[in-house]
Amino acid sequence: MSNVALLFPGQGSQMVGMGRDFWNNFDVAKKLFEEASDAISFDLRKLCFEGSMADLTMTMNAQPALLTVSVIAYQVYMQEIGMEPAYLAGHSLGEYSALVCAGVLSFHDAIKLVRQRGVIMHNADPDQKGTMAAISGIHLDTLQNICEQVSTIERPACVACMNADQQFVISGHRHSIQEIIKRTETLRTKHSYINVSGPYHSPMMQTAAEQFKVELDQYQYAHAKYPVISNVTAAPYESDRSVVDYLTMQMTMPVRWSESMLYLVANGVTEVIELGSKHVLVSLMSKITKRIVPYSLSQPSDLLMLTNTQERKNKRLTIRKKLLSELIVTALISRNYNTDSISYTQTVEPLFHQLQRAKEQVNNNEYELSEEEINDALQVCHSIIIAKKIPLDGTALIDAI
């Protein structure tokens, strides 16, 4: 099974010139830009290459532009590298890119759909009562408690994106958001308002969600070729729940991005590749976990690293060595919770000599552990942790390696 996941960015990753280098080097980019322009009846390529940042940032423009460039990057990835992913995940709008690349939605339909999504989202708050703000330096529980204290039916506010540890986005009525920021400033948090036209992923989008569901119901959805992580559940789409349900809920519910990435860790993913403009998700990954190597494919020159299989292997080995070092300590010093002393003794005692040897090899900077030796040492750690019945994330951590 592949240990690679592909990630797709959402709004905030748009930039003037996005997709131009792909256009200059790959016929598939020309084809997809043309198809996108036909679908929404305006020149999307011209907007991306020559438009103003103000026009490109408009929600109804940014959404089809970002989806187009992400799907182009995916097609280039499959054409030039071809390693099928274990999972796909997209941040907010990026979930649509993931669904297209998983074969759930056709590209033509998705472009029309996200254009309409952008229009509905833009019109959801005509009086500009809502806003969004990024906030960092605070624990999630604390922030959620403050949101609950401040939020009312008339002026709702909530955590809209859980992007990384102590890095969130809040969304809702402007007065409530201002009050939340005022209260959190005493905790030495940092904040910045986000230039958007509505309070996305909040209860204030309920009417927009109902309107958008009508649009969603008009399209056909196929079975996914690859598991797609839902923003709403931080887990793959379940077969007994419709795509329409997931995408409707996404309009009002938070983006559980950090949880989604930790799901990938727990299910054996060791590399992620962000497909699209900028490196927003790569940057977030470094704040979420050190157990995954992040890459970006935002321009053709990125293929140099992605096709360097030896360099990528070396990066994976470096991470596995670091994790092995942590697991050795866990296996050696953790308390034994196994009440069956005979079973424990028979299982663990013969392994301690091997574990001690592995520890010496890991700590010896002059000794280069081979991949086989790392695998053997990991198996020893796994056996000891299981035998000790340690009530920790030990087994999940090993599975992730």
Side-chain angles (χ1 to χ4, degrees):
M1 176 181 168
S2 168
N3 61 358
V4 175
L6 303 180
L7 309 182
F8 302 90
Q11 286 184 244
S13 288
Q14 66 272 8
M15 57 185 288
V16 176
M18 59 191 291
R20 181 188 287 120
D21 288 340
F22 286 130
W23 167 277
N24 290 334
N25 289 275
F26 295 96
D27 289 338
V28 68
K30 296 180 176 66
K31 175 180 177 296
L32 289 174
F33 263 118
E34 183 177 343
E35 185 176 349
S37 297
D38 289 344
I40 53 180
S41 302
F42 78 86
D43 192 341
L44 188 65
R45 182 197 65 83
K46 185 174 183 179
L47 172 70
C48 289
F49 297 178
E50 304 171 21
S52 69
M53 191 61 186
D55 287 340
L56 189 57
T57 299
M58 291 178 65
T59 301
M60 67 280 289
N61 293 336
Q63 296 202 26
L66 287 162
L67 185 141
T68 298
V69 174
S70 281
V71 174
I72 287 171
Y74 170 79
Q75 293 289 352
V76 169
Y77 168 83
M78 293 303 294
Q79 176 182 310
E80 300 298 313
I81 298 172
M83 178 183 290
E84 294 195 333
Y87 297 94
L88 305 180
H91 192 287
S92 191
L93 165 76
E95 191 166 319
Y96 291 79
S97 304
L99 290 169
V100 171
C101 297
V104 175
L105 261 172
S106 73
F107 176 68
H108 183 272
D109 285 352
I111 287 293
K112 291 167 59 179
L113 192 56
V114 300
R115 171 71 170 179
Q116 191 60 30
R117 180 178 184 261
V119 170
I120 290 173
M121 291 171 71
H122 178 76
N123 295 332
D125 184 26
D127 298 326
Q128 295 290 289
K129 293 181 179 179
T131 190
M132 300 180 76
I135 187 165
S136 60
I138 187 171
H139 291 290
L140 178 59
D141 289 346
T142 304
L143 182 58
Q144 287 178 325
N145 287 337
I146 294 173
C147 288
E148 290 172 6
Q149 292 166 15
V150 170
S151 182
T152 64
I153 295 175
E154 295 78 17
R155 296 178 174 181
C158 64
V159 180
C161 299
M162 295 86 155
N163 285 333
D165 183 35
Q166 299 191 42
Q167 185 169 332
F168 310 103
V169 174
I170 54 176
S171 178
H173 196 282
R174 188 175 299 276
H175 290 293
S176 294
I177 296 299
Q178 290 170 346
E179 178 61 24
I180 292 167
I181 289 173
K182 180 180 177 181
R183 294 192 186 191
T184 58
E185 281 179 336
T186 63
L187 303 175
R188 297 184 179 180
T189 60
K190 295 180 180 179
H191 77 272
S192 60
Y193 285 94
I194 300 174
N195 183 22
V196 291
S197 55
Y200 308 145
H201 301 289
S202 82
M204 290 183 70
M205 298 297 292
Q206 183 59 48
T207 301
E210 293 167 3
Q211 293 172 357
F212 188 54
K213 185 179 184 302
V214 176
E215 297 291 329
L216 288 165
D217 281 331
Q218 297 178 24
Y219 292 86
Q220 298 295 316
Y221 306 92
H223 181 72
K225 294 185 293 184
Y226 314 113
V228 176
I229 307 297
S230 163
N231 286 179
V232 172
T233 64
Y237 276 49
E238 297 176 359
S239 58
D240 60 347
R241 179 178 283 174
S242 73
V243 174
V244 172
D245 288 343
Y246 279 108
L247 296 180
T248 301
M249 288 188 295
Q250 193 214 50
M251 294 280 283
T252 58
M253 296 186 71
V255 176
R256 296 166 60 183
W257 188 252
S258 58
E259 290 177 79
S260 298
M261 297 303 97
L262 292 176
Y263 178 92
L264 298 181
V265 172
N267 284 275
V269 170
T270 56
E271 296 177 302
V272 296
I273 303 171
E274 180 178 0
L275 301 174
S277 301
K278 296 189 177 180
H279 309 125
V280 172
L281 302 182
V282 165
S283 177
L284 284 178
M285 183 60 76
S286 66
K287 299 172 183 177
I288 296 169
T289 179
K290 303 298 184 184
R291 302 173 193 171
I292 288 181
V293 184
Y295 297 96
S296 174
L297 179 52
S298 61
Q299 54 190 346
S301 59
D302 292 329
L303 289 166
L304 291 174
M305 171 56 76
L306 292 173
T307 54
N308 189 334
T309 54
Q310 186 59 48
E311 181 64 20
R312 286 176 63 179
K313 179 180 178 181
N314 290 341
K315 288 190 175 187
R316 291 196 302 272
L317 285 176
T318 298
I319 283 183
R320 295 177 75 203
K321 288 174 186 175
K322 183 178 179 181
L323 291 174
L324 173 59
S325 179
E326 295 173 3
L327 284 172
I328 287 174
V329 173
T330 299
L332 282 172
I333 70 173
S334 292
R335 174 184 168 186
N336 173 30
Y337 290 85
N338 192 342
T339 58
D340 186 343
S341 59
I342 296 176
S343 170
Y344 171 77
T345 300
Q346 290 176 341
T347 302
V348 172
E349 285 193 359
L351 297 175
F352 266 116
H353 176 71
Q354 297 178 50
L355 190 63
Q356 189 61 42
R357 176 173 172 78
K359 182 174 182 293
E360 293 171 359
Q361 291 174 333
V362 168
N363 293 335
N364 185 353
N365 293 330
E366 296 180 359
Y367 186 82
E368 191 67 30
L369 277 167
S370 68
E371 187 168 7
E372 183 179 359
E373 287 172 324
I374 292 174
N375 290 336
D376 289 344
L378 288 171
Q379 186 56 53
V380 170
C381 291
H382 182 272
S383 298
I384 293 175
I385 288 171
I386 294 297
K388 284 187 171 185
K389 297 188 177 180
I390 299 172
L392 297 170
D393 257 356
T395 54
L397 182 57
I398 293 171
D399 289 341
I401 301 174

